[in-house]
Amino acid sequence: MAIAVLGFSCRSYLTFRRPLVYCVHKVRHRSNVATVESPPEPVGVTKEEEPHWATSDGRGNGASKAPEWKKLNSKDLGIRTSMIAKPTRYVLNGLKKKGYEVYLVGGCVRDLILKRTPKDFDIITSAELKEVLRAFPRCEVVGKRFPICHVHVNDTIVEVSSFSTSGKRTGRKLDYILRRPPDCDDHDYIRWRNCLQRDFTINGLMFDPYTKIVYDYMGGMQDIKKAKVRTVIPANISFVEDCARILRGVRIAARLGFRFTKDIAHSVRELSCSVLRLDKGRILMEMNYMLAYGSAEASLRLLWKFGLLEILLPIQAAYLVSQGFRRRDQRSNMLLSLFSNLDRLVAPDRPCHNSLWIGMLAFHKALVDQPRHPMVVAAFSLAVHNGGSLSEAVEIARRISQPHDQSFSELLEPQDLDSDESLIDEIMDLAASVKSALMKMTDEHFVSQAMSKYPRAPYSDLVFISLASFLRASKIFQCVQGGAEKGFVPKQGSRIDYEFLALGSLREVRHVFARIVFDTVYPLSLNTEDNFVNQNS
């Protein structure tokens, strides 16, 4: 095989009554972890940060002044038609030709303005869903409570919602939260009401690709310029209305490098336990959006900073506490380095399967439980890459001459491993430890004990990793203990097949796992252009 391939190298001024927030019994609220807590941010909103819903309109009914809304020329914003994915353009054109209004809406418009590749494109139209069904041969309605259309274009699914359906999604008395903008005709009113239902102002942008107009009713452009994540309505109201917005807010801030408004920061800390009301499948989906799309390290840092990590991933939170990691700490460690290296390989339009990051968490947990010799770690990841060929993994590992990162407590100082048998024994033991770590991550009792050494911290027994995801992650490492897999062909070359990676192909996942481990243990900053041996066998 070609050995070179692994040289990889967040206070409302409104008079709303604060809702009663109840937490699931699984989380006990105690004071924050004293050894790691930073001074809390002030709760008040500065004059500069005063939100658009902070000024009364004088009618005495709790309504607020709307932000100044704008129509912006998309060309002036640098948005070109070629930036829209072809399957999305196909659906837009199909509906437009039939005389319907069509818009791109939400995060994709924000990303186009920021010259970022959108994770996906969301379309909203004046057509009814049944009319969308008639417009495309391969189309289906999904969702019972909030139905939308899935239009299948080759291997891509384009989501289409209808103004008539989306208008039923919220229980808000919209006219009493924000005043209808002046000079707002019927078309503007329909668009405005839809944008008002959105979570964050920067997601409340609507783009008509035919008139080349971007509609900004919520003040999203101003918040993009300020690099701020701000809720459309007061954060404490918004997060109680839909607690998933807490996780979406973290994901957006992490991906864009934006900061929370103080209103959001306060509400996230106060309402963090409410995420436990979410279905476990929804939590897994949101965590996957954070960790599999190129902003995993930043997401983990924000989850830790705002007290969410000890609820969602208590094992990893306990690790950060043991490292003396403060809420605003800028240092790194092996966990964060692993995910930083994952971020270098994936992107919003090139995600990985969740089995990869679940496997990475288990692998790191195993090293925390029992630190290992760097050669053992290298040989283990080589064996994973090779489909369980231990002799080949040992042979290659012994030829590594480059220095490892000595700042990681998970790596032991080099020591003699004289015989191949002793090295193989260590590899097998590490494989057993990874399997044990995976089991612990899906054991409610073990998870609930993760923060027990820190009694003043909240703890959780939340296990959101599904059985299917657990089994997929387990398969990554089974080959090490079970011996070389018959017919398994290791990945050759450095190119990643992102379609297969997203589907969880074992060969692709193992290849990327090995690259991440080597980029972490043998970082390029310590080595030459190639991390280790550059030979062929």
Side-chain angles (χ1 to χ4, degrees):
M1 62 169 275
I3 306 304
V5 302
L6 288 177
F8 329 108
S9 329
C10 195
R11 144 181 92 187
S12 166
Y13 290 87
L14 291 179
T15 56
F16 288 107
R17 182 176 178 180
R18 184 179 295 275
L20 178 64
V21 179
Y22 48 91
C23 295
V24 177
H25 71 280
K26 292 183 179 180
V27 173
R28 294 183 185 175
H29 274 290
R30 307 180 178 118
S31 60
N32 288 320
V33 188
T35 58
V36 296
E37 184 60 279
S38 300
E41 292 181 342
V43 176
V45 179
T46 63
K47 188 69 176 178
E48 180 184 1
E49 281 195 335
E50 186 172 283
H52 58 69
W53 34 259
T55 308
S56 172
D57 71 348
R59 291 187 294 181
N61 58 8
S64 299
K65 182 180 178 180
E68 180 183 352
W69 67 279
K70 300 175 182 178
K71 294 181 181 179
L72 305 166
N73 188 311
S74 65
K75 291 183 178 179
D76 294 340
L77 296 173
I79 300 177
R80 303 183 306 276
T81 303
S82 60
M83 299 164 68
I84 304 173
K86 286 184 180 180
T88 305
R89 296 206 304 266
Y90 168 78
V91 177
L92 288 168
N93 290 334
L95 290 170
K96 187 67 175 178
K97 286 178 182 177
K98 291 188 176 293
Y100 301 115
E101 294 179 41
V102 283
Y103 305 89
L104 292 176
V105 67
C108 66
V109 183
R110 173 203 70 215
D111 289 346
L112 291 174
I113 292 170
L114 289 168
K115 307 298 184 293
R116 290 174 171 266
T117 303
K119 177 175 65 68
D120 48 33
F121 291 85
D122 291 330
I123 295 175
I124 192 165
T125 179
S126 60
E128 301 283 348
L129 292 184
K130 59 184 179 182
E131 294 170 324
V132 177
L133 277 173
R134 289 197 292 264
F136 302 100
R138 298 176 59 209
C139 183
E140 59 183 338
V141 176
V142 299
K144 294 181 179 179
R145 188 179 177 192
F146 304 129
I148 60 173
C149 275
H150 276 180
V151 181
H152 296 261
V153 184
N154 298 323
D155 295 328
T156 303
I157 295 177
V158 180
E159 290 191 359
V160 182
S161 59
S162 169
F163 279 115
S164 62
T165 303
S166 64
K168 303 172 184 177
R169 290 191 180 193
T170 179
R172 296 181 198 164
K173 296 180 180 180
L174 301 178
D175 297 331
Y176 295 96
I177 295 177
L178 287 179
R179 187 167 50 190
R180 175 173 172 165
D183 303 320
C184 181
D185 62 25
D186 290 342
H187 290 287
D188 282 315
Y189 184 60
I190 292 171
R191 290 188 291 259
W192 171 75
R193 285 178 65 93
N194 181 267
C195 291
L196 187 56
Q197 296 170 32
R198 311 241 159 222
D199 44 13
F200 304 101
T201 59
I202 57 177
N203 288 345
L205 298 161
M206 196 172 288
F207 171 40
D208 184 335
Y210 300 95
T211 63
K212 309 297 183 185
I213 293 176
V214 172
Y215 298 90
D216 177 16
Y217 300 95
M218 300 294 117
M221 279 302 301
Q222 182 180 16
D223 288 329
I224 287 176
K225 291 175 181 177
K226 291 182 178 181
K228 289 279 189 179
V229 178
R230 187 191 309 277
T231 49
V232 170
I233 62 173
N236 63 311
I237 305 294
S238 181
F239 294 161
V240 170
E241 184 177 279
D242 182 0
C243 56
R245 290 174 181 158
I246 294 174
L247 301 182
R248 287 205 298 272
V250 169
R251 183 222 310 171
I252 292 169
R255 183 183 170 221
L256 302 180
F258 282 19
R259 292 172 294 125
F260 286 158
T261 60
K262 292 177 182 178
D263 173 54
I264 290 185
H266 174 82
S267 296
V268 168
R269 290 190 178 100
E270 187 177 69
L271 303 175
S272 59
C273 70
S274 66
V275 300
L276 289 169
R277 300 207 304 266
L278 292 169
D279 177 83
K280 290 182 179 180
R282 179 62 182 276
I283 295 176
L284 176 60
M285 181 186 76
E286 292 292 344
M287 290 300 294
N288 191 57
Y289 284 150
M290 289 188 212
L291 302 181
Y293 286 76
S295 56
E297 180 193 5
S299 295
L300 290 171
R301 288 183 182 273
L302 281 180
L303 289 171
W304 173 242
K305 179 180 179 179
F306 290 99
L308 287 158
L309 195 68
E310 48 265 57
I311 295 171
L312 297 166
L313 293 171
I315 294 173
Q316 285 66 41
Y319 165 74
L320 293 183
V321 177
S322 70
Q323 295 255 309
F325 213 75
R326 301 182 66 83
R327 296 293 181 181
R328 299 172 183 273
D329 216 319
Q330 297 301 309
R331 295 176 299 152
S332 191
N333 52 44
M334 190 172 188
L335 175 66
L336 294 174
S337 293
L338 284 165
F339 281 92
S340 174
N341 285 313
L342 170 63
D343 291 340
R344 293 188 177 98
L345 300 178
V346 297
D349 59 333
R350 303 194 309 269
C352 67
H353 191 268
N354 63 28
S355 62
L356 177 56
W357 58 262
I358 292 171
M360 287 171 56
L361 290 175
F363 168 74
H364 177 258
K365 170 61 177 171
L367 292 180
V368 172
D369 290 344
Q370 185 176 344
R372 303 281 176 170
H373 188 294
M375 187 184 295
V376 174
V377 176
F380 171 79
S381 59
L382 282 164
V384 169
H385 177 271
N386 292 341
S389 179
L390 296 184
S391 58
E392 185 179 39
V394 168
E395 179 189 349
I396 299 170
R398 288 203 178 278
R399 297 206 299 269
I400 299 174
S401 59
Q402 302 300 326
H404 70 280
D405 193 323
Q406 299 181 27
S407 68
F408 299 144
S409 59
E410 295 89 337
L411 300 177
L412 296 174
E413 285 301 312
Q415 60 190 45
D416 290 332
L417 289 167
D418 297 328
S419 66
D420 288 353
E421 289 75 13
S422 62
L423 181 50
I424 288 175
D425 287 344
E426 290 284 341
I427 297 169
M428 297 285 282
D429 191 54
L430 176 53
S433 294
V434 175
K435 181 179 179 181
S436 174
L438 265 172
M439 297 292 292
K440 291 174 181 177
M441 286 169 53
T442 54
D443 185 309
E444 289 186 358
H445 175 73
F446 185 88
V447 171
S448 70
Q449 296 301 306
M451 299 291 288
S452 61
K453 294 180 181 178
Y454 315 100
R456 287 184 292 180
Y459 74 87
S460 164
D461 63 354
L462 173 66
V463 172
F464 60 81
I465 299 172
S466 66
L467 176 60
S469 297
F470 164 78
L471 293 174
R472 291 290 287 270
S474 298
K475 284 184 180 179
I476 300 171
F477 311 106
Q478 278 177 356
C479 60
V480 180
Q481 286 183 298
E485 292 181 346
K486 237 180 206 182
F488 181 83
V489 180
K491 177 86 174 180
Q492 302 294 320
S494 60
R495 180 181 172 275
I496 297 172
D497 188 319
Y498 285 97
E499 183 179 351
F500 283 146
L501 181 63
L503 292 171
S505 158
L506 266 180
R507 189 173 80 150
E508 215 65 46
V509 169
R510 286 171 174 171
H511 168 71
V512 174
F513 173 83
R515 287 183 62 168
I516 291 169
V517 171
F518 272 95
D519 284 348
T520 303
V521 178
Y522 302 98
L524 288 171
S525 59
L526 297 178
N527 308 326
T528 57
E529 186 173 338
D530 289 325
N531 280 355
F532 60 113
V533 292
N534 187 15
Q535 305 174 8
N536 293 335
S537 63

